[in-house]
């Protein structure tokens, strides 16, 4: 086992990161849909609509994240002892940052739903199949490593030694 105390060291085997990141996509939405536009059968109008939504989402997300960064700087304790009064004064700022974190995730779901409104049920079924096939292939490629990170006895194939 590595003896270096890496940043965010709660990562057994360096495969699992337990940070408190938002589930919201960063920057762009619908990338898989757009990458598979032919297989999914997207029309030019649908592609333009998805691109417009992605652009609007990104702009609104940047606004939220700029405000979160501004608040983080304001919350930061810069000098001296951190006393109860200073902590209490930061509570409204911490609450606002938590609200913005929630807004960021809600924004993701709002825009994803708006994108789904542009698609037929058949197109959604096609992209679901593509997504799950890609995800399953990625997880299958990592299966031995993930199992060995937890315990070599969890994997029923040949032991991985490197």
């Amino acid at each position: 086992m590595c003896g270096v105390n890496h940043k965010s060291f709660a990562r057994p085997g360096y495969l699992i990161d337990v940070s408190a990141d938002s589930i919201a996509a960063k920057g762009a939405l619908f990338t898989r849909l757009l990458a598979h536009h032919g297989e999914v059968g997207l029309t030019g109008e649908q592609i333009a609509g998805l691109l417009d939504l992605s652009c609007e989402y990104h702009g609104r997300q940047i606004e939220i994240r700029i405000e979160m960064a501004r608040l983080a700087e304001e919350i930061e304790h810069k000098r001296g002892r951190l006393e109860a009064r200073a902590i209490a004064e930061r509570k409204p700022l911490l609450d606002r940052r938590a609200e913005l974190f929630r807004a960021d995730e809600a924004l993701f779901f709002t825009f994803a739903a708006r994108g789904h409104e542009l698609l037929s049920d058949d197109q959604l079924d096609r992209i679901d199949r593509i997504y799950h096939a890609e995800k399953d292939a990625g997880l299958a490629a990592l299966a031995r490593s993930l199992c060995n990170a937890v315990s070599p006895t969890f994997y029923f194939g040949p032991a991985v030694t490197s």
Side-chain angles (χ1 to χ4, degrees):
M1 174 176 270
C2 180
V4 176
N5 189 15
H6 296 278
K7 182 181 178 208
S8 303
F9 189 66
R11 299 173 358 170
Y14 305 103
L15 294 171
I16 300 169
D17 190 344
V18 293
S19 63
D21 287 340
S22 171
I23 61 164
K26 291 169 181 63
L29 289 180
F30 314 115
T31 54
R32 183 173 284 109
L33 259 169
L34 294 166
H36 294 284
H37 60 88
E39 294 170 75
V40 177
L42 296 179
T43 66
E45 186 176 305
Q46 287 173 313
I47 292 170
L50 292 171
L51 288 170
D52 288 345
L53 284 173
S54 183
C55 185
E56 184 182 349
Y57 167 79
H58 182 63
R60 300 221 358 233
Q61 187 176 60
I62 291 295
E63 291 171 5
I64 289 170
R65 295 199 175 179
I66 286 172
E67 179 64 6
M68 287 182 79
R70 189 193 67 71
L71 285 168
E73 190 284 326
E74 196 173 337
I75 291 167
E76 182 183 356
H77 182 74
K78 296 175 178 70
R79 290 187 176 85
R81 183 180 307 276
L82 186 58
E83 296 174 347
R85 182 181 54 79
I87 295 169
E89 288 172 353
R90 286 169 171 77
K91 184 174 180 339
L93 300 172
L94 292 168
D95 290 344
R96 178 65 183 137
R97 256 183 73 88
E99 290 169 10
L100 289 168
F101 186 88
R102 180 177 168 83
D104 186 52
E105 293 197 329
L107 188 72
F108 169 71
F109 285 105
T110 298
F111 275 80
R114 287 176 60 189
H116 283 192
E117 290 172 7
L118 301 175
L119 306 171
S120 70
D121 289 342
D122 182 57
Q123 288 171 318
L124 284 171
D125 288 343
R126 286 185 211 171
I127 198 60
D128 281 351
R129 284 193 300 276
I130 290 167
Y131 167 75
H132 288 289
E134 289 178 356
K135 179 187 60 121
D136 291 349
L139 289 173
L142 289 172
R144 289 175 66 174
S145 295
L146 290 170
C147 289
N148 278 333
V150 176
S151 170
T153 60
F154 283 4
Y155 180 70
F156 298 105
V160 177
T161 58
S162 57

